Structures are given as structure tokens and as C-alpha cells.
Amino acid sequence: MTKTQLIAAVAQATGLSKKAAMEAVDAVFSTVAAALKKGQEVKVMNFGKFVVVNVKASKRMNPRTKAVVQVPAHKAPRWRASSVLKKAVR
């Protein structure tokens, strides 16, 4: 499902216009991103949890040139599905 399809589904499910649904979806995504940028967790009951993890520095190989590249330590977003969502998908 693309973002456009998600917006259309939200508009249909809520009775909102597509423009209002787009603003709502964008607001949710930007709020989650802002919270993660601050280092906060975002927990959505029966859906999952968004977290920020620290990734250690490592050496990786460029597949084209076969050169070894040093990747610095950084933070990365992760999402973990809730057990309720996992059971619903099975």
C-alpha cells in the first residue's frame, strides 16, 4: 500500500475529504519522526513500537568495488510489531 492508497483508505473509513485525510496522515508521520528525533519511543497500542537504536561503527564492503569502507556509529529508527498485530497477520 502506498501513501496515496493509505490516504484514500483513511478518507473512506473516516468520511473525511482526501485533503483532510492527507493532513491527518502527514501529521501522524511528522509527529512520530519528531519524537524519534528527540530520542523518545512511540508506542501504539495493539500495533507496535517505534524506537531509536544506537548502531556501532563497523566495516562494510562496497559490493561494486570490493573496497572496505568504515561506517561510523549512528542512530537508526526501528519498529517492533506488537504481539496482537503479529497474531492478526498470521
Side-chain angles (χ1 to χ4, degrees):
M1 175 178 278
T2 65
K3 184 177 175 184
T4 303
Q5 293 168 332
L6 177 63
I7 290 167
V10 169
Q12 184 178 9
T14 61
L16 294 172
S17 67
K18 284 190 178 182
K19 182 178 180 182
M22 179 181 68
E23 290 172 354
V25 169
D26 286 342
V28 169
F29 289 151
S30 64
T31 302
V32 169
L36 292 175
K37 188 173 182 178
K38 292 178 186 176
Q40 300 172 335
E41 290 184 353
V42 179
K43 297 177 187 177
V44 181
M45 189 71 132
N46 298 329
F47 184 72
K49 178 169 70 168
F50 297 91
V51 296
V52 176
V53 297
N54 292 317
V55 179
K56 294 179 181 179
S58 63
K59 292 181 182 179
R60 304 282 171 95
M61 184 176 63
N62 182 331
R64 286 189 183 180
T65 65
K66 308 293 187 210
V68 176
V69 179
Q70 180 68 31
V71 178
H74 60 279
K75 293 182 180 184
R78 296 285 188 264
W79 177 72
R80 296 183 183 129
S82 72
S83 59
V84 173
L85 180 62
K86 287 178 184 177
K87 287 177 185 175
V89 172
R90 289 184 190 159

